[in-house]
Amino acid sequence: MNATDHTSRSPRRLRRWALRAALALAGVSVGAVVAEGAFYLRDEGAFPHLNAYVADETLGVRLEAGFEGAVRVGSGPVTSFAIHREGYRGPPWPAPGEDDVLVVGDSQVFGLGVAGSEAFPARLAVATGRTVLNAGVPTYGPPEYLAVAADLLARRKPKTVVFTINIGNDLVEANRPNPERHAVWDGWAVRKETAPLSVQDFPGRSWLYRRSHLVFAARKLLYETQHPELSDAAFPSEGAWQDLVRRSDESQRRRAASREEREVAAALRPVETSYLEDELRRAQASVEDLIYEEFTGQDYRSSLLLRSARATPGDIVTSGPGEAGSPYGATTKIIREGAAFRAKMEAKLRETAAALADEARKKDIVTTLEERDALAAKLAALRAAPLLLSRATSPLAAPIERMKALCDEHGAELVVLVLQLDVMVSPEEWEKYDAEPTDMTSTRVLVDDVLSLSRGLGVRAVDPTDALRAAQPGAFLRADLHLSPTGHRVVADAIAERLERPPPAVMKPGLPVGRSRLPSLRYWRASRELLISGTTAAACRSWLRQEWLLLRCFQRGSEAHQATGTYDRYVQGGDVGPRPVGARVVEGGRGETEWFVYGGVLSFIAPLFPGGRLVADLFWEDHRRRLVVNWPAEEPVADEITLRKQEDLGEVPTGVEEPAELCACHRQVTGAEDCRELMGRPDEDCRRTYGDDCAGRLGCVAGDPLFPPECIEGEVNAFARDRCYRPCDAACARPCVSWQGVSLCPEP
């Protein structure tokens, strides 16, 4: 073989090698295309996650405008999605309207696993006839919800914002922004812990790693082979059900600590009040001493008038002079004259001080008056001050408050929607995970925290848990925690129904200045008895503490029973005398009166106010007596407090039965043999709130501020006993009553 032959063969050999390489490449390409087609058909063109993300410095990720794709969640159906130019799912948004609803949230709002028309924002639009903007983005948490709402409120001015809280994730994500949790890797949102530090870019990488089903399958296989011990739950970027259990335990501990603080405050409140009362009495005496020195001198009548101004309705006695009638047997006329005289003298004292040339004396008078006034204001504020259970027990408190402020700034209404995990709604959902069921009952406190906080801010709160539970099975996707089409429909209906009702009333916490909490029987008994005309004949005792009047009426006992030395003058006496059976308010009371009968003892409680009139009938088995209180406006005392027997029996209250369950609680807590000293009537809100907690139920029915009832949606805690009342509307049976800025139906 010569050189020429060798030279001529080389190009032919190269061509053969090139042809073989081309054929091999073509075969590989065809194989890849066939494999890609096979995996595409297997996956039905869908991926198990969204591949529509681009990086965002502030939000961590965002959805790419104009991107279209398909996703299959678990074993569910394939659903397509399209991202419009604003960067959210669905068809392009119309021009801003005056009645738009903006819904912010995560994958539950996005509608992961269902068609866009089946997601609850779309269904809400159908149910309400309003434009509803679906601004849900998977991976987002409360910080991102706020950012999205701030942007769209500024640009589109929606009328309503639905802040969707996904309890499963948002408790963990509330204080951890998305850039710390997620990153974008070839169009996918991956957890920060698993994202690569850098990637090698090359032509076609985006399509291969974002769109290729073959590459996705290969990468999935490689990952599972290299990390068989890892699962989604291994990474702390998002929460799991274990986090909820832990969070609920923390919330319970915070609630317990808060309650302990309130109990300490409640125990100290009477001590503080008593101390201020003593200080105020001394300060008032100092003012009176100045009046004596400057004006009255040894004038006995003037001194008597000054002293009588300190009398109260409790000093209107019939027992004559002496300690029992301290400062003396006062009459309403003398008390009024004394109050007017003191006011006149104090005004004159201020004028005198202003004109004094003696600076030391002037300072002494002014300081004495200012100290007295400051103590009076401090005492009134202390009596009215609330004993609040801390609302900020949830990590979601701050985001909700910021969202409320943001909506207020833009003139929009905030609605808070709370969605629970599927296994929180129904324990049957554990079956689809092949997991041993875990009792999630304790996690309910996390939802209650959010609902309570929202309602306290005057925000409509939507909890569709009961409706979702009623829709089971089928409210959630198979093998996944996201809502099914049925679940989305239920949630949309719950929001639409709540939007039809008014937002919760917001009232100032605590009591109005000048009001006080309902005293316990022990504190009433520590007060001097108010001798009302007619109480002795009726076998009743009466007390007045602050503004609260208490009458306790007994079945008159035999002489033997009266000789037993019991604290009450009258005791239950078998068949001796008629038994008290009930009461009925005829006029006044402002919805704060209450009565109950235990062990044959009728208790009647009512607040008394200047400028008010109270008329109530107290019933015995064979007669009734009418209580009348007249208290003219601007007067220091009532001019009439009487209890008189009436000619006819009238309509006796029916259905008065001693509640066995509440009495059993009273005996259990106090060790008493009967329920004659049980204060408070049965209340469904107290029963629902405290259940088997007898101490809580008893405190609740007695109006103890440590044990307020949790009101149902649409009602609020109000008046001095924190009972649940409805905001005033056309359905009120009696005229509405204002309380801390809110108009309420007077009947609880």
Side-chain angles (χ1 to χ4, degrees):
M1 182 182 298
N2 56 36
T4 302
D5 293 335
H6 178 77
T7 302
S8 64
R9 289 175 182 167
S10 293
R12 289 197 298 270
R13 185 177 299 171
L14 289 174
R15 285 194 295 271
R16 286 197 301 270
W17 288 348
L19 179 60
R20 290 171 182 170
L23 290 173
L25 181 60
V28 171
S29 298
V30 170
V33 170
V34 171
E36 176 66 28
F39 278 99
Y40 181 89
L41 291 174
R42 185 201 69 171
D43 298 338
E44 298 183 55
F47 291 103
H49 307 289
L50 291 184
N51 56 345
Y53 297 99
V54 291
D56 186 281
E57 183 177 349
T58 302
L59 302 174
V61 308
R62 57 185 171 83
L63 298 176
E64 182 179 351
F67 191 90
E68 296 183 6
V71 66
R72 185 205 299 270
V73 177
S75 58
V78 172
T79 56
S80 61
F81 63 89
I83 310 303
H84 58 71
R85 64 182 181 181
E86 295 273 5
Y88 301 100
R89 184 184 189 182
W93 288 344
E98 297 181 352
D99 200 29
D100 290 355
V101 179
L102 170 65
V103 185
V104 296
D106 60 7
S107 55
Q108 293 281 30
V109 175
F110 178 91
L112 195 62
V114 301
S117 61
E118 294 176 322
F120 75 79
R123 289 184 176 273
L124 181 62
V126 174
T128 60
R130 301 168 66 179
T131 295
V132 179
L133 311 176
N134 183 339
V137 178
T139 77
Y140 279 8
E144 292 71 49
Y145 307 158
L146 284 162
V148 168
D151 172 52
L152 295 176
L153 278 166
R155 291 195 292 113
R156 297 190 59 97
K157 305 295 183 184
K159 183 178 181 180
T160 304
V161 175
V162 178
F163 181 13
T164 306
I165 291 175
N166 183 350
I167 285 290
N169 293 337
D170 289 344
L171 282 164
V172 179
E173 298 169 356
N175 299 313
R176 194 175 182 205
N178 206 28
E180 296 180 11
R181 297 184 285 107
H182 287 98
V184 176
W185 187 8
D186 298 317
W188 308 88
V190 298
R191 291 176 179 177
K192 198 78 171 179
E193 295 86 351
T194 62
L197 298 178
S198 63
V199 297
Q200 182 65 46
D201 196 16
F202 56 84
R205 178 186 176 100
S206 177
W207 186 90
L208 279 175
Y209 288 114
R210 190 180 200 181
R211 296 284 196 175
S212 172
H213 290 262
L214 174 62
V215 172
F216 182 87
R219 295 179 78 181
K220 183 174 185 294
L221 177 63
L222 179 63
Y223 177 81
E224 292 175 347
T225 302
Q226 293 177 343
H227 304 285
E229 77 285 359
L230 296 181
S231 67
D232 283 348
F235 301 104
S237 291
E238 298 181 8
W241 65 266
Q242 294 93 336
D243 296 297
L244 294 183
V245 174
R246 177 174 55 82
R247 291 276 182 178
S248 64
D249 292 342
E250 292 173 357
S251 182
Q252 293 284 17
R253 286 194 293 272
R254 284 193 296 268
R255 282 192 171 195
S258 179
R259 186 168 295 284
E260 288 178 5
E261 291 177 5
R262 287 211 311 167
E263 288 175 352
V264 171
L268 291 176
R269 182 69 59 86
V271 178
E272 295 176 279
T273 302
S274 178
Y275 172 77
L276 283 177
E277 288 172 343
D278 290 342
E279 289 293 297
L280 181 58
R281 279 192 289 269
R282 282 192 284 269
Q284 184 59 49
S286 297
V287 171
E288 291 174 5
D289 287 344
L290 290 174
I291 294 174
Y292 291 147
E293 294 169 8
E294 292 291 331
F295 309 119
T296 64
Q298 300 300 314
D299 184 340
Y300 174 76
R301 174 168 173 75
S302 297
S303 299
L304 193 63
L305 281 174
L306 272 179
R307 193 176 176 205
S308 68
R310 279 187 272 157
T312 70
D315 296 315
I316 305 173
V317 298
T318 59
S319 56
E323 291 183 0
S326 177
Y328 56 88
T331 68
T332 57
K333 181 175 182 297
I334 294 176
I335 293 174
R336 287 180 182 145
E337 288 179 358
F341 180 73
R342 186 174 71 185
K344 179 181 177 181
M345 289 296 100
E346 286 189 13
K348 187 175 180 180
L349 187 62
R350 294 178 192 275
E351 294 174 0
T352 300
L356 279 175
D358 186 343
E359 290 297 326
R361 180 61 173 169
K362 179 177 183 177
K363 181 179 180 181
D364 184 34
I365 294 174
V366 171
T367 300
T368 301
L369 287 167
E370 287 179 347
E371 288 179 350
R372 190 278 313 274
D373 293 344
L375 282 168
K378 188 174 181 180
L379 178 60
L382 179 64
R383 286 172 176 157
L387 291 171
L388 290 177
L389 182 64
S390 175
R391 296 187 310 174
T393 59
S394 171
L396 295 167
I400 293 173
E401 290 170 346
R402 286 199 292 269
M403 187 69 83
K404 177 64 165 62
L406 182 63
C407 289
D408 290 346
E409 178 185 344
H410 290 275
E413 184 193 3
L414 174 63
V415 176
V416 173
L417 168 66
V418 188
L419 297 178
Q420 300 191 52
L421 282 176
D422 52 353
V423 293
M424 297 171 68
V425 173
S426 172
E428 296 173 357
E429 291 294 316
W430 285 107
E431 296 178 7
K432 66 187 181 186
Y433 300 116
D434 294 326
E436 189 69 26
T438 298
D439 185 4
M440 303 294 287
T441 304
S442 65
T443 61
R444 176 68 203 186
V445 67
L446 303 174
V447 178
D448 290 339
D449 281 347
V450 173
L451 297 176
S452 176
L453 172 69
S454 301
R455 292 164 184 163
L457 294 172
V459 171
R460 297 185 219 238
V462 183
D463 175 18
T465 302
D466 290 340
L468 287 170
R469 192 170 287 139
Q472 284 289 89
F476 299 91
L477 296 176
R478 302 189 302 271
D480 189 81
L481 57 82
H482 288 89
L483 293 167
S484 69
T486 298
H488 279 279
R489 175 183 54 77
V490 166
V491 171
D493 290 345
I495 300 172
E497 190 275 333
R498 186 62 187 91
L499 287 174
E500 299 230 343
R501 292 185 283 117
V506 180
M507 62 180 64
K508 182 181 178 182
L511 307 180
V513 173
R515 294 299 309 273
S516 64
R517 292 287 179 184
L518 193 68
S520 68
L521 183 58
R522 177 169 61 89
Y523 282 112
W524 253 311
R525 282 176 166 169
S527 305
R528 183 159 38 86
E529 187 175 354
L530 170 64
L531 300 182
I532 296 175
S533 174
T535 53
T536 300
C540 298
R541 300 190 66 189
S542 52
W543 295 266
L544 186 70
R545 189 172 180 90
Q546 302 308 321
E547 75 271 30
W548 292 101
L549 171 69
L550 168 65
L551 267 72
R552 280 172 60 82
C553 299
F554 305 82
Q555 180 181 25
R556 186 180 295 278
S558 64
E559 291 297 326
H561 284 124
Q562 294 181 35
T564 59
T566 55
Y567 190 91
D568 288 319
R569 182 181 295 111
Y570 305 103
V571 297
Q572 183 176 349
D575 58 358
V576 180
R579 293 167 60 92
V581 294
R584 180 180 292 112
V585 175
V586 178
E587 180 183 348
R590 304 204 310 185
E592 295 187 72
T593 58
E594 184 170 82
W595 64 268
F596 36 86
V597 179
Y598 297 121
V601 180
L602 167 64
S603 297
F604 179 84
I605 301 170
L608 303 183
F609 307 101
R613 174 178 167 83
L614 173 68
V615 180
D617 286 337
L618 277 60
F619 293 86
W620 279 255
E621 292 172 313
D622 61 352
H623 72 280
R624 68 183 170 102
R625 295 175 183 266
R626 173 155 289 187
L627 172 69
V628 177
V629 180
N630 280 316
W631 195 330
E634 308 301 327
E635 294 291 352
V637 293
D639 63 5
E640 178 185 8
I641 307 180
T642 59
L643 183 66
R644 294 193 175 96
K645 188 174 182 180
Q646 303 298 294
E647 294 296 329
D648 60 297
L649 177 59
E651 184 181 352
V652 180
T654 59
V656 181
E657 298 179 1
E658 190 169 290
E661 188 177 358
L662 198 59
C663 280
C665 268
H666 176 75
R667 290 192 293 269
Q668 173 187 324
V669 171
T670 65
E673 295 182 359
D674 56 45
C675 296
R676 295 173 66 240
E677 298 199 353
L678 171 57
M679 300 296 288
R681 65 189 309 164
D683 183 270
E684 176 58 25
D685 296 307
C686 293
R687 187 203 63 76
R688 187 189 66 256
T689 302
Y690 294 99
D692 295 332
D693 178 3
C694 280
R697 285 186 65 182
L698 292 174
C700 184
V701 300
D704 188 331
L706 287 175
F707 300 99
E710 293 181 2
C711 301
I712 61 174
E713 179 72 20
E715 296 185 354
V716 292
N717 296 100
F719 298 108
R721 285 172 296 175
D722 282 331
R723 292 288 177 82
C724 297
Y725 291 79
R726 289 186 300 111
C728 205
D729 54 35
C732 289
R734 297 169 60 193
C736 301
V737 177
S738 178
W739 178 263
Q740 295 291 67
V742 177
S743 186
L744 301 170
C745 291
E747 67 277 358

